[in-house]
Amino acid sequence: MTELAENLAENSAHTAARSVFVTGGNRGIGLAIARRFAAAGDRVAVTHRGEAPPAADDLLAVRCDVTDSEQVDQAFKEAEAAHGPVGVLVANAGFANDRLLMRMSDEDFTSVIDTNLTGAFRVVRRAVRGMLRQGHGRIVLISSTAALHGAAGQTNYAAAKAGLVGFARSLTHELGARDITCNVVAPGLTETDMSRALTEEQRRHLLARTPAGRLGHPDEVADAVAFLAAAGTGYVRGAVIPVDGGAGLGH
Ligand code: NDP
């Protein structure tokens, strides 16, 4: 755990445990995020389609494919029954299916949009209902540096991840003065199954454009999410926080 994480964990230890819901929290970045909240004493539900998260982690595993609104509703019901109304939502589930435009089928394009963008819409809509009743909430959407810079072969993925930015900012307007925030974290290349699927040449190319000279660690993304979910960050709204080793120099 990083020093920032320890400080955030210590701060949260002084506040009541929250009900946290992380999509795709069974592995990769989502699991690191879920572990961060659990370490701070929060009650954390994670969605999975295939493999559940490791049993050693004290996480409530709920089955859910974010492309299906009924499964989303059922997963929230299970989380709410166990942990109470969801106060923190992290929409992290996502996948890439890279292809140059001329070889991209309708299905290649729409399936990536359906999970990464419409999936986030489905879970946020479901979560906001309870947050409005509670008068409080923290929503964090996991985007990507691809949203801001684009990448050859990623017209589908970059469009979906860029869509999350417009979504978060529009929702910020809708939520107005309520203490419910929606922000975006945009990771750069991070060490998970997703980045392990890249070729050596793709990795070299991306690292050459990353001042930090290394891949990010899922815990570093979790740090940014924990910050945006903290009770004291209610004035941070509609922001995009890059966690990319400087690849985008703040953008
Ligand atoms: P992984 O491939 O390791 O994990 C992806 C997660 O998303 C899994 O938990 C997976 O669940 C879940 N998921 C995928 N599709 C669906 C779906 N239809 N319904 C529900 N869950 C689904 O990826 P990462 O941990 O690397 O990625 C996490 C997020 O971070 C993604 O949104 C990704 O786009 C983003 N990101 C990742 C970067 C990286 O370099 N790794 C860089 C920038 C952004 P299951 O196990 O059931 O398949």
Side-chain angles (χ1 to χ4, degrees):
M1 204 188 273
T2 62
E3 201 179 322
L4 171 63
E6 279 168 15
N7 288 341
L8 287 167
E10 201 181 304
N11 285 343
S12 328
H14 300 299
T15 58
R18 298 170 300 177
S19 170
V20 178
F21 191 99
V22 183
T23 64
N26 55 330
R27 59 191 172 99
I29 291 172
L31 179 58
I33 292 168
R35 283 176 170 157
R36 173 61 36 79
F37 285 111
D42 292 321
R43 294 163 299 193
V44 186
V46 297
T47 73
H48 66 106
R49 296 175 305 172
E51 221 173 291
D57 290 297
D58 194 14
L59 306 170
L60 174 71
V62 290
R63 281 203 171 271
C64 173
D65 186 322
V66 298
T67 62
D68 180 333
S69 292
E70 279 179 24
Q71 288 189 36
V72 167
D73 187 47
Q74 186 54 36
F76 269 82
K77 281 182 178 152
E78 286 174 41
E80 287 163 351
H83 297 158
V86 171
V88 178
L89 168 69
V90 184
N92 161 81
F95 82 107
N97 183 9
D98 299 355
R99 252 173 215 36
L100 292 174
L101 180 72
M102 297 315 290
R103 296 198 190 127
M104 192 173 288
S105 67
D106 286 13
E107 162 67 13
D108 293 331
F109 192 86
T110 55
S111 61
V112 168
I113 299 285
D114 198 19
T115 294
N116 292 278
L117 178 58
T118 319
F121 152 73
R122 291 186 186 96
V123 292
V124 171
R125 181 180 57 182
R126 180 59 178 76
V128 164
R129 196 196 296 171
M131 290 175 179
L132 286 171
R133 272 198 295 267
Q134 294 178 77
H136 174 83
R138 295 282 179 268
I139 300 165
V140 182
L141 312 179
I142 306 300
S143 176
S144 163
T145 46
L148 310 169
H149 309 287
Q154 294 201 319
T155 51
N156 50 359
Y157 183 74
K161 294 301 195 184
L164 292 175
V165 177
F167 177 88
R169 290 181 171 162
S170 300
L171 182 60
T172 297
H173 283 293
E174 287 190 22
L175 292 169
R178 296 177 183 87
D179 184 28
I180 305 173
T181 67
C182 182
N183 291 289
V184 176
V185 170
L189 198 57
T190 308
E191 195 67 75
T192 67
D193 292 343
M194 185 181 273
S195 54
R196 281 189 275 278
L198 295 175
T199 64
E200 253 326 294
E201 197 194 331
Q202 284 172 314
R203 279 168 86 100
R204 253 202 317 275
H205 176 70
L206 286 163
L207 281 179
R209 295 178 357 194
T210 305
R214 63 171 176 85
L215 266 67
H217 190 277
D219 282 346
E220 294 173 302
V221 180
D223 279 346
V225 173
F227 167 75
L228 292 170
T233 55
Y235 207 56
V236 183
R237 292 165 185 242
V240 180
I241 310 282
V243 184
D244 63 358
L249 297 174
H251 300 285

